Amino acid sequence: MDLSEGTDTYQMRTFSVLVMVLLVPFFAKAEDDGRPLWDWGVGLGYVRYADYPASDEYSQIMLPFPTFQYRGEYLRADDREGGRAYLFKSDSWSLEFSGSGRFPLDSSKNKARFGMEDLPLVLNGGPQLVYHSGGTWEFQVAPFFSVAAKNDYIRANGMLLKTQVTYRWEGETPGPFDSTILITGTTSFEMNAASSDYMKTYYEVGSADVRAGRSEYDAKAGFLSTNLSYYQRFAAGRSSLYVGASISDYSWSANRNSPLHKSDYNVGWGLGYIYQFGESAKPMVSPEDTQGVINRYRQHRREQRLIPLE
């Protein structure tokens, strides 16, 4: 059996299904009177991604999923800004809690890692300091704590340091049947470094895992990657279409000499569709009116001091 032919057939079938489903947004009447505080719906997504950082093999997922978006005063989790919990916020600066992650991997399905322990689910989270410039540009610095999880354990996984510059824009264009298509675009450039514990997860080769073409290697801390990504949303009425792609450069990685470092470049992409079934009657809190938990606490303390004592 030709495995490559099977993969190509699967991808073509996936693409055909998505094309038919994703045409729906362009036949709905747009609503541009603001977004609700929360909404829920269902989605269908397809993602192609590298098995692990600097791998030369890829995995793909296509699945339906429920969606819930919230745009509140302290917490925002939506398709424009991602998930953020505001700890402190001013006109130009904010301290937030955010995160990222990587899928697990069955090592038997990857040639470079065949015979090694499966890769765990990796979740990264922590505070990030963000500088906002007019709602269009953002500069972020984030020291994320990492956790690795499998069926039989949850363990600390070191740290990931991320610096990122993000540019966002919004616009609209006329659609068919007197509709309006709202468009949102996001471009991000980021640089990542990681601790030795984090690097060991992906690049360490112990003596028990040595085989032909895979020598023993002790992973070390240092620079990991630079990433350039682009994401775009097309929305009309209750429907939204998402397209996105990213390219990661590992040519300067501190562990480029690891036998598990198989490619200097990884390219990933994805498509998604969401249909919104319900929403709140209350409108969202605008990004300009959001505030952090610390802001609210300080305001509460100030108000208490102003209450006259009887």
Side-chain angles (χ1 to χ4, degrees):
M1 177 182 294
D2 187 349
L3 295 179
S4 62
E5 181 179 354
T7 301
D8 292 341
T9 301
Y10 174 80
Q11 290 180 341
M12 182 58 67
R13 186 176 302 159
T14 300
F15 181 76
S16 299
V17 171
L18 283 171
V19 167
M20 289 187 290
V21 175
L22 297 176
L23 286 176
V24 175
F26 301 102
F27 297 92
K29 180 68 176 177
E31 298 177 3
D32 52 7
D33 55 350
R35 309 187 79 184
L37 178 65
W38 55 262
D39 63 65
W40 68 275
V42 295
L44 176 66
Y46 171 83
V47 181
R48 182 179 185 268
Y49 59 95
D51 282 353
Y52 60 87
S55 172
D56 60 351
E57 297 179 63
Y58 289 78
S59 296
Q60 53 195 354
I61 293 178
M62 179 181 178
L63 74 168
F65 54 89
T67 67
F68 182 80
Q69 301 189 82
Y70 183 80
R71 309 169 186 90
E73 189 173 6
Y74 311 111
L75 176 65
R76 302 183 76 85
D78 67 3
D79 49 20
R80 292 187 180 183
E81 299 182 69
R84 301 184 179 191
Y86 288 100
L87 304 177
F88 176 81
K89 191 171 185 293
S90 68
D91 291 340
S92 300
W93 295 89
S94 63
L95 181 63
E96 308 166 4
F97 186 91
S98 188
S100 62
R102 270 195 170 273
F103 291 118
L105 173 69
D106 181 349
S107 291
S108 65
K109 298 180 180 180
N110 182 277
K111 294 179 181 178
R113 294 192 56 88
F114 189 84
M116 298 183 67
E117 182 181 1
D118 294 344
L119 287 176
L121 170 69
V122 173
L123 299 175
N124 313 308
Q128 66 175 7
L129 182 64
V130 182
Y131 173 75
H132 309 265
S133 177
T136 301
W137 289 92
E138 280 188 0
F139 176 75
Q140 307 168 12
V141 178
F144 285 162
F145 297 95
S146 182
V147 174
K150 288 180 62 177
N151 294 333
D152 55 346
Y153 69 76
I154 298 178
R155 61 173 172 81
N157 193 52
M159 293 190 66
L160 178 70
L161 176 63
K162 181 189 78 169
T163 59
Q164 178 173 297
V165 178
T166 301
Y167 174 76
R168 292 188 179 91
W169 60 271
E170 296 182 357
E172 61 180 47
T173 185
F177 303 100
D178 194 31
S179 66
T180 300
I181 302 172
L182 307 177
I183 305 173
T184 304
T186 303
T187 302
S188 297
F189 176 78
E190 69 179 71
M191 303 177 70
N192 297 296
S195 67
S196 58
D197 287 343
Y198 188 94
M199 296 292 203
K200 287 178 185 294
T201 300
Y202 298 110
Y203 302 116
E204 183 90 356
V205 179
S207 57
D209 293 320
V210 173
R211 56 178 289 183
R214 191 169 68 202
S215 57
E216 188 171 355
Y217 183 81
D218 185 19
K220 54 184 177 290
F223 190 78
L224 176 60
S225 66
T226 58
N227 305 322
L228 179 65
S229 61
Y230 183 76
Y231 153 86
Q232 192 156 328
R233 168 181 176 262
F234 302 89
R238 293 182 176 270
S239 297
S240 296
L241 163 67
Y242 304 84
V243 295
S246 66
I247 179 169
S248 300
D249 181 359
Y250 298 94
S251 59
W252 293 349
S253 173
N255 293 283
R256 194 168 182 267
N257 293 325
S258 169
L260 298 177
H261 181 116
K262 291 297 184 180
S263 176
D264 286 342
Y265 299 97
N266 287 162
V267 178
W269 60 276
L271 298 170
Y273 169 79
I274 290 178
Y275 185 83
Q276 176 189 321
F277 279 101
E279 63 182 37
S280 68
K282 188 175 181 179
M284 72 173 186
V285 178
S286 68
E288 294 77 17
D289 294 331
T290 55
Q291 63 176 326
V293 175
I294 297 175
N295 301 75
R296 187 68 186 91
Y297 174 77
R298 293 173 62 183
Q299 180 181 347
H300 177 69
R301 295 287 294 177
R302 190 181 304 114
E303 290 172 351
Q304 282 187 324
R305 288 196 297 267
L306 294 177
I307 297 176
L309 297 177
E310 296 183 358

